[in-house]
Amino acid sequence: MNRDVFLPVAAQPGVDTLVEMSQRAESLGYDRVWLPETWGRDAVTTLTCIARETESVGIGTSIMNVYSRSPALIGQTAATLQEVSNGRLRIGLGPSGPMVIEGWHGVDFERPLRYTRETIDIVKSVLAGETVDYDGDIFQLSGFRLRCEPPEPVPGIDAGGLGPKSVELAGRFGDGWHALMTTKEGLRDRLEDFERGGDLGDRDRSEQRVTLSLPCCALDDGAEARRLTRQHIAFYVGGMGTFYRDALARQGYEDTAHEIAQEWAGGDHEAAMAAIDDDLLDALAAAGTPEQCRERFASFADIDGVDAVSVSFPRAADPEQIDATLSALAPD
């Protein structure tokens, strides 16, 4: 079981802070640092800085959206990051959601499954050093190949997804799947979708990876750790469109998901947080004292079919709280 780090999605004081977190993760024995890309610092520049200032820890995007860059550019970028990092890159791709794609990038959020599939196809061709002749529903490309040498080894391409069809797509066309906002029972359901996709694509499951991003907060003040994590979940379910709300509803928490969304939309964030009882918090996250957090983390790491668990942090956690959590959950 790999133990990774999902670097903070919230703004940090500077790129140097993210580099220092990555160096700290490396020194503690974590396997990989994943960097999200929303509307803050871009993933490519930041990961380049991290690659230059670390030696062994893997790097990855989780996730890079498939709308704001062309598939060919994603391929070029992956080849370059693989070179800069001396072979430590793994790529996470996905559609993100309409709030970000339309509201920030100004691009129509259309056909997310098809965009993801065609992007993966094209990126694989680019990274293989092939002349890209592609006749898709969305992209039609011809006549070009990567001008520099293709990377060796070729980095794996994981797909992000919450729903059954997107997870099946990850299994069929990707080298792995990134899971988040899921209970253990919900994760097992989606693993069935992933494996069904792998069967449809005649994939070798032993060569694919499932990575779970798990919200974690381990503090001596266990109550504060749980408050921060509860606020994090409420924000995603209530404030980030319908994807996380629907994912939670799909796992048997429909009434709670809609209550969180309604309270958050109405501006009562405390009520939205209160709708997440202790049982649900523990079903979605590992939060509390260091001992409680380690115990809960282990229960997710033991799920058959999960290859890596990423320590993710509450969006409101400060660098000191992030470091405390990193230390508490460091690999043995």
Side-chain angles (χ1 to χ4, degrees):
M1 167 63 62
N2 279 22
R3 191 167 299 203
D4 297 346
V5 173
F6 192 89
L7 292 167
V9 68
Q12 295 301 307
V15 171
D16 285 348
T17 303
L18 292 163
V19 170
E20 290 164 4
M21 288 176 184
S22 302
Q23 292 171 324
R24 176 69 167 151
E26 181 175 66
S27 71
L28 290 170
Y30 286 93
D31 294 285
R32 187 174 302 275
V33 294
W34 297 98
L35 185 68
E37 186 176 67
T38 53
W39 53 93
R41 295 180 180 90
D42 79 279
V44 178
T45 307
T46 307
L47 284 175
T48 301
C49 295
I50 291 170
R52 287 297 194 184
E53 298 296 331
T54 56
E55 296 180 358
S56 60
V57 70
I59 62 171
T61 58
S62 183
I63 61 169
M64 182 183 288
N65 82 74
V66 297
Y67 291 96
S68 61
R69 297 176 178 90
S70 74
L73 180 57
I74 293 173
Q76 292 173 254
T77 299
T80 307
L81 279 172
Q82 186 72 322
E83 179 181 355
V84 169
S85 67
N86 294 316
R88 291 184 278 147
L89 175 69
R90 195 169 180 94
I91 311 161
L93 298 175
S96 187
M99 289 185 66
V100 174
I101 300 307
E102 296 181 350
W104 180 241
H105 294 291
V107 178
D108 289 339
F109 186 79
E110 58 182 7
R111 306 182 69 184
L113 294 179
R114 191 70 200 183
Y115 257 90
T116 302
R117 174 187 170 171
E118 292 195 11
T119 298
I120 291 173
D121 286 343
I122 295 166
V123 172
K124 284 187 173 183
S125 292
V126 171
L127 293 177
E130 302 169 351
T131 298
V132 182
D133 293 313
Y134 192 83
D135 185 18
D137 291 351
I138 297 169
F139 298 104
Q140 294 81 42
L141 311 175
S142 64
F144 287 87
R145 64 183 295 275
L146 194 64
R147 175 171 276 176
C148 56
E149 287 297 312
E152 180 61 42
V154 174
I157 303 174
D158 301 336
L162 298 174
K165 289 298 183 182
S166 60
V167 178
E168 182 183 293
L169 182 148
R172 187 173 183 180
F173 301 103
D175 300 312
W177 167 50
H178 284 213
L180 72 164
M181 193 63 69
T182 179
T183 66
K184 289 190 291 184
E185 294 74 18
L187 181 58
R188 292 187 181 101
D189 288 341
R190 297 289 77 78
L191 282 168
E192 292 179 6
D193 299 323
F194 180 74
E195 289 163 3
R196 182 173 59 255
D199 291 341
L200 290 170
D202 196 25
R203 305 300 302 278
D204 183 345
R205 177 64 176 87
S206 68
E207 296 181 355
Q208 295 177 304
R209 300 189 63 77
V210 171
T211 300
L212 169 65
S213 176
L214 182 68
C216 299
C217 193
L219 304 175
D220 291 336
D221 185 347
E224 175 63 5
R226 292 177 72 81
R227 186 193 70 80
L228 287 167
T229 309
R230 188 174 268 111
Q231 192 272 348
H232 176 87
I233 294 170
F235 168 78
Y236 273 90
V237 174
M240 287 295 290
T242 62
F243 283 92
Y244 298 100
R245 183 195 70 194
D246 292 346
L248 186 59
R250 198 181 295 117
Q251 296 173 80
Y253 296 92
E254 184 173 2
D255 290 344
T256 300
H258 286 283
E259 181 182 357
I260 295 168
Q262 182 176 359
E263 296 291 0
W264 193 275
D268 194 340
H269 295 178
E270 292 297 324
M273 292 168 60
I276 304 169
D277 63 22
D278 285 338
D279 288 342
L280 180 55
L281 180 63
D282 288 334
L284 292 170
T289 65
E291 182 179 1
Q292 292 169 332
C293 198
R294 283 191 289 266
E295 180 180 351
R296 194 67 198 157
F297 186 95
S299 73
F300 281 90
D302 287 341
I303 297 173
D304 188 37
V306 175
D307 302 288
V309 179
S310 289
V311 177
S312 176
F313 309 102
R315 57 192 295 272
D318 62 33
E320 291 75 18
Q321 292 165 328
I322 289 169
D323 190 69
T325 302
L326 272 178
S327 299
L329 294 177
D332 296 331

